[in-house]
């Protein structure tokens, strides 16, 4: 009874139109992820024309589940159901852990099936590996700041946006990329989708500026770190050190 009473008090105190901003952002992230993968995954899957390994399917299932989970969690927080939000957070830790593991496994799988372009596959592997590593680090920071709501919710949004570049890139590759041999795309082409994804963070910054009079440091430093990782992927992917590291992982997997 005490828990229910406290939850109702929090709900009455915290539920406000402004709090639905993060729900709207979560819905935007989910829509971007779904529509981005529609031409290369969902539509072929619906028509039975998709041939992919179980690792890729499970990877896709986990990341799609994350989109739904993020929407649900932001809705619970926005409606003041903080107790339910915190209880479901345990499931989020397990989901994010599974995403990190299968994101890594999917990266290795792509290296193994690079259509005879072994070195290109090794070079490109930095994109998904650095992406899932960034997501994992930001998620851990968000969990460490669960009692600091203003930091926690911004870190969670940063984590969600950080994995959207893969979805946006599918549209680039489907409609804008010139025809060419199968295999991984050049690493530089992944920078533009990351910049487009980060526009969601710009929207959040504008909202901060209008409501708080300043932009929260999480958005400033988080966005800079995200874009730095995406840009630095290019030169690092061409180094002997990266090819030795990723090639070693590939050798262990074979």
């Amino acid at each position: 009874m005490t828990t229910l009473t406290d939850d109702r008090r929090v709900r009455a105190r915290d539920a406000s139109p402004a709090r639905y901003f993060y729900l709207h952002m979560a819905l935007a992230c989910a829509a971007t992820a779904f529509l981005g993968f529609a031409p290369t995954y969902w539509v072929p899957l619906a028509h039975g024309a998709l041939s992919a390994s179980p690792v890729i399917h499970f990877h896709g299932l986990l990341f799609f589940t994350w989109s739904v989970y993020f929407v649900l969690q932001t809705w619970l927080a926005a409606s003041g159901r903080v107790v339910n939000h915190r209880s479901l957070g345990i499931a989020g830790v397990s989901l994010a852990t599974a995403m990190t593991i299968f994101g890594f496994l999917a990266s290795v799988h792509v290296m193994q099936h690079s259509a005879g372009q072994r070195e290109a596959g090794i070079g490109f592997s930095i994109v998904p590996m650095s992406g899932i590593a960034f997501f994992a680090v930001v998620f851990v920071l968000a969990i460490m700041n669960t009692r600091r709501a203003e930091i926690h919710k911004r870190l969670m949004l940063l984590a969600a946006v950080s994995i959207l570049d893969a979805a946006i890139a599918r549209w680039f590759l489907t409609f804008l990329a010139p025809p060419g041999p199968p295999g991984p795309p050049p690493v530089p082409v992944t920078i533009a989708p990351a910049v487009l994804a980060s526009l969601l963070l710009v929207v959040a910054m504008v909202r901060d500026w209008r409501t708080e009079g300043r932009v929260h440091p999480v958005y400033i430093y988080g966005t800079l770190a995200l874009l730095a990782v995406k840009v630095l992927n290019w030169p690092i992917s061409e180094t002997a050190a990266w090819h030795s590291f990723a090639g070693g992982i590939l050798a262990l997997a074979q």
Side-chain angles (χ1 to χ4, degrees), residues 169-240:
R170 294 304 187 278
W171 285 80
F172 276 70
L173 296 175
T174 301
F175 299 108
L176 299 178
V187 174
V189 304
T190 65
I191 297 175
V195 172
L196 284 179
S198 68
L199 291 179
L200 286 172
L201 295 172
V202 174
V203 171
M205 291 182 192
V206 172
R207 185 258 181 185
D208 263 10
W209 184 264
R210 293 182 63 182
T211 59
E212 307 290 338
R214 69 185 184 95
V215 178
H216 198 283
V218 166
Y219 287 145
I220 297 174
Y221 297 118
T223 302
L224 289 175
L226 174 61
L227 293 178
V229 168
K230 301 304 180 182
V231 171
L232 290 174
N233 279 342
W234 182 7
I236 294 175
S237 70
E238 297 178 349
T239 64

Side-chain angles (χ1 to χ4, degrees), residues 19-27 68-80 85 153 156:
R19 282 187 166 265
Y20 282 90
F21 171 78
Y22 286 93
L23 173 59
H24 296 154
M25 294 300 288
L27 288 169
V68 177
Y69 170 81
F70 188 46
V71 170
L72 176 59
Q73 280 290 72
T74 53
W75 174 75
L76 288 173
S79 57
H85 174 84
K153 60 188 179 183
M156 290 299 292

Side-chain angles (χ1 to χ4, degrees), residues 47-124:
H47 289 86
L50 180 67
S51 177
S53 73
V55 169
I56 298 301
H57 283 302
F58 201 66
H59 164 76
L61 174 63
L62 287 171
F63 277 69
F64 177 72
T65 302
W66 167 263
S67 297
V68 177
Y69 170 81
F70 188 46
V71 170
L72 176 59
Q73 280 290 72
T74 53
W75 174 75
L76 288 173
S79 57
R81 295 173 173 84
V82 178
V83 172
N84 302 103
H85 174 84
R86 289 174 178 169
S87 298
L88 197 58
I90 303 300
V93 174
S94 299
L95 177 58
T97 301
M99 290 168 63
T100 302
I101 294 171
F102 276 86
F104 175 78
L105 293 177
S107 302
V108 174
H109 177 81
V110 170
M111 277 197 291
Q112 291 175 316
H113 299 79
S114 295
Q117 301 179 41
R118 182 179 183 276
E119 293 304 313
I122 290 174
F124 184 79

